[in-house]
Structure formats: structure tokens, C-alpha cells
Amino acid sequence: MASYCILEDFEVHKNKKFLEIAENLKPELLVQNVSPARLIKIEKNEMQETVVTAEEPASELRKKILKKGDSVILDFGTHHVGYVTLDLCSVGSHQDAPAYIQLRFAERLDELSSSAAEYDGWISRSWIQEEHIHVDVLPEKRRLPRRYAFRYLEIRVIDVSPKFSLGVKNAWMEDVSSVRWQDAKPIRSQDEVLNRIDEVSIRTLHNCMQDVFEDGPKRDRRMWLGDLRLQARANYETFQNYDLVKRCLYLFGGLTFNEGKIAACIFTEPELDPDDTYLFDYALLYGSVLLDYYEQTEDMETLKDLYPIAIRQIEVGLSYLDENGVIPDHSGEFWCFVDWGEGLNTQAASLAILIYSMRYGIRLAKHMGDESRIDWLQEKMQTLKESAISKFWDEKQQLFVSGSNRQVSWATQVWMILARVFPKEKNRELILHTIDVNPRIRMVSPYMYHHFIDALIRCDEKERALEEMKRYWGEMINDGADTFWELYNPYNKYESPYGSVIVNSFCHAWSCTPTYFLRKFYHLNDEKEEL
Ligand code: RAM
């Protein structure tokens, strides 16, 4: 079980100028009205999966007369984020009691077969999207005040009275996002699986692009740095909303804490505040978000403002090195994220991510013309590559190991490849050898799979990368994804870092990057090329 660590003596530094820039870039959300596509009935099949057993047109809704215990499930066709209005009325004699209604919102059908009351995980049950409402006087058009992330809505009458039943004349939702779904041109491939993967990626990104890049619109509904980095990359290839990335960069840069550290995530309400969670890898990756943004926009002013903050993260990272020139093992603490895998040792990966961030630091310094910093980073980076090999490379296994138990994991190999500890040809051998050996400590999140695909592409294994993308994200679609998920372990489909899949997020930003790969490296959005 992972748990967040709260820092003692947490001291926040708010940079007024940066926060003002960020606030001025706050987007006006775009609203599109969506009606239910159909009404459905569900059941669990012999494999314990929830499946649709019957459907009716949505126009049948107004004919339903719902008595105590009755329910109806509305299917909005795909995943949406927004606000729901129910146009309710009373059918029968006088309404002599309030109508008492349960509403359940689900990103996936499965959620409708599980019970919130049985949830016993370590994060709050309040994330489960469920309401119990009283309607004192019917008819009423009730616009629910909370924002939901869902495809399905179940309306169940807990109680009315023998004198009257509940009618639902109409129901609709206002879908909100800072971008218009229709504005990302779909890719054109002859391979329908790739077209569908791209479409689902875009829907995922669109639904997470609110007034910041959220990690998941159901949960946690806030901005995490690791997620932002991948969303921004997908956004450059699709919606190209540069201002939203700029806003988020200034928010992180304007809300630092002790020693100038960047928080792993930001709260935007009730006021702007950094979370007191420091994630070593996330903080280091800030420089990579900044570099990507600068290379897309050539916005020198932003680079000048935020460069010192990115460099500070590297300095802080280096301050953790021990006498052997490596980062001490913090596995078991929520300190260096890497992936959600149970038992994953993150020591070697943390050093690799430090090296990776220094490479980005060098590129930033080059754009800034900061010569002395380039030399300093290059020299240090070389030393760290040597420590990585001497401490973690296992010549016999031809793999990197991590921690005192010399654990071999996929994540460690991938990050060592991305850090370019070895030259390209040796990296290629390493990734192929890893696939052959298939280490038992696997990748479980699309976040880590993103880095695996990235590593394959950097090793010129583009065909293989495409196959892996189809295998992982394509399989999620086969398992019913309308938007891609926070966690997907093909070897354990009920895996959750939180104690139950009911609180997993099924529209999760860090999983949207196939659209980035397909456009950037396979050019599937170009008019000429088809695959
Ligand atoms: C979870 C969220 C988020 C991720 C962090 C590390 O709380 O899923 O996306 O960045 O963990």
C-alpha cells in the first residue's frame, strides 16, 4: 500500500508575478450539450463481466413510470465530463412525499455492478460518483451542482409514495473542456485499430483539459506534473493549446516550497497551493516540460522566467546523491514515483531520471546561452553515467539491477535507456534482451508504458513500438475503454493501487499519448502517408 508522505516544516513560496501570468491565461471552458444515446439494461455474465443485455432508444425515457425500487440506465454514448440536468415530474395522484432518488455515474459499466458501501481502500470513498437526492416539489428541472466524469447514469428511485411515481421527461449534460473535441483532426491509417486508438486518446486528452491539465476528471481532478508532461506532448500534436501549457508551467513555477522544490501536484481551489508531496522524478521532469514548450513556441520570455526553477530541481536532485554517487533507495516511500507496480524498486530508475533530466537541462542551457552551466551539467552527467554502470549494471545478466536485492524490472531498463547511459546500439540490444527475458516486475500504468514505447522508438524499433502500442492500448479498447485508464495491467485486470478498481480513474491523462506517438513518429496525420 502506498501512502502520501506529509512534509514537516512545509514552507510555501508563492511568486506573485508568475501566478498572475497563470491566472490571466485561465481558459473560458467550452460547453457542448449532449443527450443520452440510448437506455440500457445490464447483467453480469459467467465471466463476472458486466454486459448490456437490452437497449431502447433514449426517447423511451419520458414514457417510464418509476416506482419504489425501479431504475433506468442512461448511456451517453461515450465518456464525457460535465454537468447534468434532470427534468423530473410526478406521475399519478398528488405528490404527498418527497421523491428520494439515488444517482450513480459510471465511467465503465462494471462500476454499476459494484457497491460503494463495500469499498474499503485507502483513498477516500468520496471519489465514487454517487448521490442521494430529495426532490420536495415536482415538477423540477434539477441541475446537479457537481461535475461528473461518466458515460452511464443510473437513476434509481429509493422511495416515492403509493400515490405517485417519478417521471423523467428529459435528461442532458453540458460537456465542458478548454478545447473542442472536433478540433483535433483524426489520423488516417488503413489500420482501424490505430484509428480507434487515436480517437480514444484524443477523447481522453480532451476530457482532461479543463482549466488546468487534470490527471483524471473523476479522480484526482487536479494537476500532477508527471501527467502534465505527457498531456502537453499529446496536446502539441492535436489541439495545440499552448496557453494552457504555459499557464500550468507558471503555476508549478509560481508555487514552490522548501529549497525551491516543485510540488508533485497543485491545488487550484479554494486557492492556489502546492501539495506537500514531493516526487523526486516529477520535480526533475519539469525541465522537460519547459523544453518541449519552448521548442514548440520559441517563447523566450517564459523560458527566461522558468529556466532557473528547472535548474534548481536538478541541483536539489544532485543533493540527494550519496558517497557512491547514486540516489539512496527510497522504494516503499511515495518519493520517486516511476510506476504503480507492487514491489517495484525505484533506486536505479531514480538515478536514470536524474541523468535524463540533466540532458534536458543541457538543452535548456543551450537555448539560454548559459555556457558555464552546460559544462557543469555535462561533467556531472558523465560521472553519474559511470556510477550507474558501476553500481547497477549486471554483466552476467546483461541487465540493470536495482536496490540491495538487485531487482530486475522493466522500468529500470527503460529509464536507463532513456537516460542514454549506454550508446544507441547497446541500448537497442538491452531493450530486445529485456523483451526476451520478460522480467517478472512488469509495467502496470500507461505512464510507464509510454516510456517503454518511447525507449523502443529511440532504439529505432518503430515497428515493434507500434505492435506494443496496439497490444496494450488496443487491448484496453477490447476491454471496453471509451477513454484510456489510469492503470492497466494486462496480466491482472483488477489491479488497483488503492484497494479497489472502483476508485481507479478510467479517463486518465497520462494514458493519452498514443496520439502523440502516431503523429510525431509515424506521421499518420500527414495527408500523404498511410500505414
Ligand atoms: C495518482 C494519480 C496521478 C499520478 C500520481 C503519482 O494519484 O493517478 O495521475 O501522477 O498518482
Side-chain angles (χ1 to χ4, degrees), residues 118-135:
E118 282 164 22
Y119 171 70
D120 186 29
W122 67 274
I123 61 169
S124 179
R125 185 176 140 184
S126 60
W127 288 116
I128 300 170
Q129 305 181 103
E130 182 173 275
E131 310 294 346
H132 294 90
I133 60 168
H134 287 85
V135 186

Side-chain angles (χ1 to χ4, degrees), residues 41-59:
K41 286 203 170 25
I42 57 168
E43 227 171 61
K44 269 199 174 181
N45 65 13
E46 61 288 354
M47 319 263 295
Q48 291 307 299
E49 295 158 342
T50 310
V51 291
V52 174
T53 51
E55 65 171 297
E56 290 175 283
S59 54

Side-chain angles (χ1 to χ4, degrees), residues 4 215-216 219-220 222 224-227 264 279 282 334 337 340 486 498 505 508 510:
Y4 300 105
D215 63 336
R219 209 219 79 243
D220 305 316
R222 57 180 168 268
W224 287 80
L225 190 37
D227 305 61
L279 286 178
Y282 276 22
F334 194 60
F337 173 63
W340 271 126
E486 171 181 21
Y498 313 114
S505 153
H508 213 71
W510 67 19

Side-chain angles (χ1 to χ4, degrees), residues 423-435:
K424 194 165 178 178
E425 200 34 50
K426 182 133 180 155
N427 276 340
R428 193 165 159 271
E429 283 164 24
L430 175 56
I431 197 99
L432 296 179
H433 183 52
T434 307
I435 294 171

Side-chain angles (χ1 to χ4, degrees), residues 278-465:
Y278 171 71
L279 286 178
F280 177 81
D281 48 348
Y282 276 22
L284 285 168
L285 293 171
Y286 181 76
S288 138
V289 190
L290 181 59
L291 182 81
D292 289 346
Y293 171 78
Y294 176 73
E295 292 187 342
Q296 288 287 325
T297 60
E298 295 183 9
D299 175 354
M300 194 37 134
E301 221 174 296
T302 300
L303 179 64
K304 277 192 188 150
D305 277 347
L306 304 179
Y307 170 72
I309 294 167
I311 295 296
R312 181 72 199 127
Q313 305 317 303
I314 299 176
E315 289 167 353
V316 172
L318 288 167
S319 74
Y320 286 103
L321 290 170
D322 68 10
E323 61 289 354
N324 300 316
V326 295
I327 303 294
D329 193 353
H330 285 268
S331 310
E333 292 165 49
F334 194 60
W335 187 82
C336 181
F337 173 63
V338 185
D339 196 9
W340 271 126
E342 188 72 32
L344 172 69
N345 187 288
T346 56
Q347 189 189 15
S350 62
L351 182 63
I353 295 166
L354 176 56
I355 298 171
Y356 177 92
S357 76
M358 292 168 87
R359 192 150 54 70
Y360 276 86
I362 293 169
R363 284 169 65 188
L364 285 170
K366 283 187 180 159
H367 287 301
M368 288 290 295
D370 189 355
E371 296 301 330
S372 58
R373 188 88 62 182
I374 300 173
D375 295 343
W376 173 74
L377 281 168
Q378 257 159 356
E379 215 175 284
K380 286 253 174 244
M381 193 170 75
Q382 197 42 42
T383 324
L384 292 191
K385 284 186 179 177
E386 283 156 23
S387 331
I389 295 171
S390 73
K391 180 86 198 242
F392 298 120
W393 178 247
D394 184 320
E395 189 60 29
K396 201 158 149 239
Q397 299 192 67
Q398 290 288 299
L399 290 165
F400 283 98
V401 295
S402 180
S404 53
N405 289 335
R406 302 176 67 75
Q407 182 191 78
V408 175
S409 69
W410 283 78
T412 299
Q413 318 309 320
V414 166
W415 274 111
M416 286 292 181
I417 289 166
L418 292 175
R420 302 194 187 161
V421 170
F422 286 135
K424 194 165 178 178
E425 200 34 50
K426 182 133 180 155
N427 276 340
R428 193 165 159 271
E429 283 164 24
L430 175 56
I431 197 99
L432 296 179
H433 183 52
T434 307
I435 294 171
D436 253 15
V437 172
N438 189 6
R440 200 178 47 81
I441 306 288
R442 298 202 170 88
M443 304 170 282
V444 300
S445 68
Y447 175 77
M448 193 57 230
Y449 264 85
H450 164 92
H451 293 102
F452 171 51
I453 302 294
D454 200 9
L456 280 168
I457 293 174
R458 310 282 162 186
C459 294
D460 287 341
E461 283 291 331
K462 278 176 69 180
E463 276 312 306
R464 193 137 203 164

